[in-house]
Amino acid sequence: MEFPPLIGLLAFIQNLFAGNSVYLHHVFSHLASLLIIIYAAKITIELGGKKAAVILVLLAIIIAPGFGRSQQLFQPVVFSQLFWLLGFYQLMRFVKYLDKKSLWYLTLFAVLGISVKYDAVFFLFGLSSLLLFKETRQALIQHRFWQNILVAIIVVLPNLIWQYSNDYPVLQMFSRLYEKHLDQLSRIETLVNLLISVNPLMTLLIIIPAFIYFFKRANQKNLPLTVSILLSAVFLSLSNGKAYYFYPIILTILPFGALFWEQMVFSKKRWLRYPVAFLLVAGIILIPFGMPVYSFDKYLDRVYKYEEKEIEGGKYAVRYDEYYTKEKWEKTMQLLKTVCDSLPEKEKEHTLIWGKHYGQAGAVNLIGKDYHLPKAFSYHGSFYTWTPNGEMPNTVIALSYRVGDFFNPYFGEVILLREIYNPYADTEEELYQRIYLCKKPRQNFTEMKELFRHRIFE
């Protein structure tokens, strides 16, 4: 509900294959990450870069743990990076050639960007740089750019109507996000996290030189691109976005850092190509600190000791649940099955599972069928739109993290049956999952939906 429709369409296509293959559910993410690498190189070449500049850009992407992890997961993040980069490529071509074709391609990728993640508004804000320069402004007027704006509005209008008719779930999500996370972030902390997550060596060798290149070599042709990047970055910073929100902007900066070395340094001292490339390659040693690439035991032995975190009641505080998620969910499904099997046959026939978090409901519906578990419902996130209608069954099995007496107002009887300990959780809340047996519902599903109408992101 909180995302535009394109990620849902891609998920729908994946689900047509009716399989739980990890490979299958990462195909689109991997294709997007390959295209990101290709177009980062194409942007570099279009800006005048040659072999050395292309190599530096690609090395910078490969050694960045933040890119590596965000481009592996099937989430809108990788597609946001892709369409931002494709849009920037067409922006660069329009600035260079002032042609109508590039303008329409720019419109296409801007629309695709806003159709996959709303952070594309920061890219769109950056496009206002075209109006600040006489040459690009005249080209926009000549090509009747209001037609492009009209087409873009028509394409995104159905999603806007859907948001309106569903009480703007995206605004509810942002409100909750600012309340729980973003308002607590300091911009300095975000900047530090960003520069570390993309690899400190990349920051020193590519990003900082990119800004030197902007101000040393900025000419009339490249100024709209420079201003576009800066406008997007400033707007995003004012919105207090998380570190990974800036990844698409970093991708557009990299070619300029590579051009700094190729045009301003290597042209005078060619031998410096080798130590600079070697230093970037050395950045590979930092990858395990930013994404899960080791076996779990190897990670705990070699990496965890440098990022140890105390969680009261926990054994380790592992940042990436990819390391332990299989074990966690197998244990959860087995205990849910034990609870289901303990019910009388007549009761079991109508029993449903209430997943407090959408991830819990999703896990039950994805892998619970292998354990012959009943379907799960949830009022959290998009699951809100898929909740059943009619009367609630007399018995509901509830699965949650530690949430106090959350289920008590909705049932006459709530019994805690199981606690599932996770020694690797990096938050106290997720140290335990709890399984409750809930009976004597006090409302039907229709009334439940109304009760949670404005609580879907709690």
Side-chain angles (χ1 to χ4, degrees), residues 383-401:
F383 272 83
Y384 175 84
T385 62
W386 306 323
T387 49
N389 296 311
E391 295 299 317
M392 293 186 76
N394 188 57
T395 301
V396 170
I397 297 170
L399 175 65
S400 73
Y401 293 104

Side-chain angles (χ1 to χ4, degrees), residues 15 19 22 24 31 37-38 62-63 67 90 134 174 187 191 208 215 225 253 277 285 287 294-296 369 399 419:
N15 289 341
V22 173
L24 172 66
L31 287 174
I37 288 173
I38 290 168
I62 290 168
I63 69 166
F67 290 149
Q90 295 302 331
K134 182 180 178 181
F174 277 125
R187 290 179 176 83
L191 179 62
I208 293 174
F215 296 110
L225 301 178
I253 290 174
I285 64 172
I287 288 177
Y294 283 152
S295 67
F296 195 16
K369 53 193 169 189
L399 175 65
E419 282 196 327

